[in-house]
Amino acid sequence: MKFNDLALEAPILKALEKQGYTQPTPIQEKAIPILLKGHDLLGVAQTGTGKTAAFGIPILNHLCQDKTTGKGQPKVKALVVTPTRELAIQIAENFTAYSEFTNLKSTVIFGGVKQAQQVKHLRSGVNILIATPGRLLDLMSQGFITFKDLKYVVLDEADQMLDMGFIHDVKKIIAQLPQKRQSLFFSATMPKTIVELSKKMLGKFERVTIKPEQATAEKVEQGIYFVIKGNKTKLLVHLLEQRKEESVLVFSRTKHGANKIVKKLEQSGIKSAAIHGNKSQNMRQKALGDFKMGKLNILVATDIAARGIDIDELSLVINFDLPNVAETYVHRIGRTGRANASGIALSFCMAEERPYLKEIEKLIKQKVPRLLDHPFMEDHDVIEGASVKKPAKKQNSKKRNYARNNRSRKRG
Ligand code: AMP
């Protein structure tokens, strides 16, 4: 299938051509025809699949065909709610690109920065509003936004909204939207709370599922290094030194861990920056901007901060820590190999993380290739499962002493 087969308006086709899109990705191929017909949609898909265009193109197409759109001050007719600032900015950039040859106006609002500039844009009139929940509610309550004319709403990354504690804000926002509207609901996973929310938000809907393994595991070359905790940084430095020119995204499970990695890399003469929730919005944007422009090669991120980061040339993702939720692994490796490109994802796994690896392999239905040939390999790293610490089963002191002596014998 080609975009030309989708009966889209000429300015949108022109913009897609300019972006270099010729063929719809699987989610676009499934979702766009449903959305063009005006149906509600439940999309089970993650970022990196071409999800933004899957909802952006039909919305823009509807707005192009809407005869009232060009008359008078633009009114907010489409709303996209998304959990993180980075994602909001990225979606807004996509809408701007896809609507380049139309008269449609969009803007983005998010917290962590002063509101004046955002209010100014809203006052000048926009057709499409992309927002994070907190700032949106805030500006709604101050009377800067009205949804009287709203026709399309997208709730993006719903499961992430739940994780970040935004679900009540989201419910409050939805309650204030007109009943008659087209609703789109996207989530990478569907826990019970999210299923309930989707039922509240959607009318009669159609469902499109793009399985994570379809989206990522096939395209991304993966590998796992077994390594003890104390050797992880050395291995990271070693890998980064081998790939000096590449853009590398390093994942850390915690904010503190991300800062520590940056510090350790600096001690080895490697420049990097961390992005996570404790950094100011400006610092995060600067780091991300430098990374996107190629001024900075290494970005260290936590999952929430990195969700949805879209960088064209990102060839390598390194999981410094394995995530304890298997789906997160799929999200992470999806940062490379976006749309139809291929990429590499390397993960570090210490003994305590082996159970996580098992869960990941169950989810992606494949074994991640073991990369056993690295300079920081300890003997016991090779034996899979053997060195996994079982959760605290009480040992009597005799056994404990035996185990301790045995360990020190081995080390000696
Ligand atoms: P998303 O999942 O929306 O974040 O999209 C992931 C990446 O795929 C972005 O860089 C998009 O610009 C790109 N993309 C989306 N749709 C297509 C397409 N049909 N052809 C090529 N690239 C695409």
Side-chain angles (χ1 to χ4, degrees):
M1 188 194 253
K2 289 254 185 319
F3 280 110
N4 284 333
D5 303 327
L6 285 169
L8 296 169
E9 294 293 314
I12 294 172
L13 282 175
K14 191 172 165 190
L16 296 180
E17 201 183 311
K18 188 170 171 195
Q19 291 301 307
Y21 298 4
T22 47
Q23 248 182 314
T25 63
I27 189 163
Q28 292 161 5
E29 202 169 314
K30 289 185 183 171
I32 293 175
I34 296 171
L35 294 171
L36 287 176
K37 281 189 211 146
H39 299 310
D40 282 5
L41 181 91
L42 172 67
V44 185
Q46 59 158 344
T47 308
T49 53
K51 184 162 56 94
T52 317
F55 63 75
I57 293 169
I59 288 177
L60 289 169
N61 206 68
H62 285 308
L63 292 177
C64 275
Q65 291 171 343
D66 183 339
K67 299 237 163 30
T68 62
T69 303
K71 294 189 183 130
Q73 163 111 337
K75 308 255 168 44
V76 180
K77 295 213 167 156
L79 169 69
V80 181
V81 186
T82 193
T84 66
R85 306 151 193 187
E86 285 80 5
L87 206 44
I89 291 169
Q90 213 160 269
I91 293 173
E93 282 170 0
N94 284 352
F95 266 90
T96 306
Y98 306 150
S99 62
E100 183 182 346
F101 303 107
T102 71
N103 294 324
L104 298 167
K105 281 177 73 186
S106 51
T107 199
V108 57
I109 59 172
F110 46 82
V113 291
K114 291 203 175 104
Q115 69 174 46
Q117 197 61 20
Q118 298 176 356
V119 170
K120 198 171 142 200
H121 281 133
L122 288 167
R123 281 212 170 108
S124 69
V126 293
N127 305 104
I128 304 139
L129 178 61
I130 297 112
T132 54
R135 177 57 57 95
L136 176 59
L137 260 186
D138 193 2
L139 294 184
M140 280 164 75
S141 66
Q142 293 179 57
F144 291 119
I145 303 166
T146 155
F147 289 125
K148 250 185 11 274
D149 299 279
L150 188 99
K151 291 193 168 166
Y152 312 97
V153 58
V154 182
L155 186 63
D156 189 35
E157 304 272 348
D159 53 352
Q160 193 73 359
M161 302 266 195
L162 182 72
D163 287 354
M164 293 174 73
F166 286 145
I167 225 69
H168 293 294
D169 285 357
V170 169
K171 284 183 183 164
K172 280 189 212 158
I173 294 163
I174 295 171
Q176 295 191 44
L177 304 180
Q179 285 293 320
K180 198 166 171 282
R181 57 171 201 245
Q182 186 179 18
S183 304
L184 287 65
F185 189 102
F186 288 93
S187 193
T189 57
M190 290 301 286
K192 213 169 127 224
T193 323
I194 292 300
V195 174
E196 281 161 13
L197 181 68
S198 73
K199 281 186 191 151
K200 275 206 186 112
M201 186 179 155
L202 299 167
K204 202 167 155 259
F205 66 88
E206 296 204 31
R207 187 185 176 118
V208 166
T209 303
I210 302 294
K211 293 212 182 80
E213 59 268 33
Q214 233 173 295
T216 51
E218 286 160 16
K219 291 181 319 201
V220 178
E221 208 182 308
Q222 300 164 66
I224 192 119
Y225 290 102
F226 291 131
V227 59
I228 59 164
K229 194 175 180 179
N231 282 343
K232 280 189 174 184
T233 315
K234 289 183 207 152
L235 180 58
L236 181 64
V237 170
H238 172 73
L239 293 176
L240 293 176
E241 276 173 348
Q242 287 180 334
R243 298 173 149 84
K244 281 211 173 90
E245 301 306 315
E246 288 179 41
S247 292
V248 184
L249 182 58
V250 179
F251 277 100
S252 154
R253 204 178 310 133
T254 62
K255 299 169 196 171
H256 175 66
N259 289 342
K260 235 165 95 181
I261 294 170
V262 171
K263 220 166 161 185
K264 287 266 173 66
L265 288 179
E266 198 182 332
Q267 285 163 4
S268 301
I270 299 175
K271 198 176 148 217
S272 67
I275 57 163
H276 53 65
N278 285 1
K279 298 263 174 191
S280 74
Q281 175 62 9
N282 285 345
M283 280 166 87
R284 284 161 69 169
Q285 278 314 119
K286 166 139 189 7
L288 197 55
D290 285 353
F291 190 64
K292 282 190 179 186
M293 284 189 297
K295 282 200 221 158
L296 179 76
N297 282 344
I298 300 144
L299 200 61
V300 185
T302 56
D303 291 300
I304 289 180
R307 189 89 177 236
I309 287 180
D310 180 22
I311 299 131
D312 286 346
E313 299 298 322
L314 183 58
S315 48
L316 177 62
V317 161
I318 296 181
N319 292 311
F320 191 87
D321 304 307
L322 269 188
N324 52 0
V325 176
E327 276 92 358
T328 304
Y329 175 81
V330 181
H331 286 300
R332 287 184 181 184
I333 72 168
R335 300 308 99 223
T336 177
R338 312 213 69 176
N340 297 317
S342 61
I344 302 173
L346 302 174
S347 306
F348 297 174
C349 177
M350 56 182 180
E352 292 84 343
E353 292 170 314
R354 296 233 175 132
Y356 305 155
L357 178 62
K358 236 167 123 183
E359 285 303 310
I360 289 165
E361 294 183 323
K362 219 161 86 190
L363 177 77
I364 63 173
K365 297 194 186 75
Q366 58 173 258
K367 204 169 155 88
V368 181
R370 274 57 178 156
L371 304 171
L372 299 175
D373 186 20
H374 69 81
F376 309 103
M377 191 94 186
E378 305 272 327
D379 282 350
H380 60 264
D381 281 338
V382 195
I383 315 152
E384 284 198 44
S387 54
V388 178
K389 265 191 210 135
K390 292 263 180 326
K393 231 190 199 172
K394 273 206 168 153
Q395 276 180 336
N396 62 35
S397 61
K398 220 168 160 186
K399 271 191 186 161
R400 233 184 356 251
N401 287 340
Y402 174 78
R404 196 184 302 136
N405 293 339
N406 210 20
R407 270 201 302 277
S408 55
R409 251 202 310 280
K410 267 190 191 161
R411 258 189 240 118

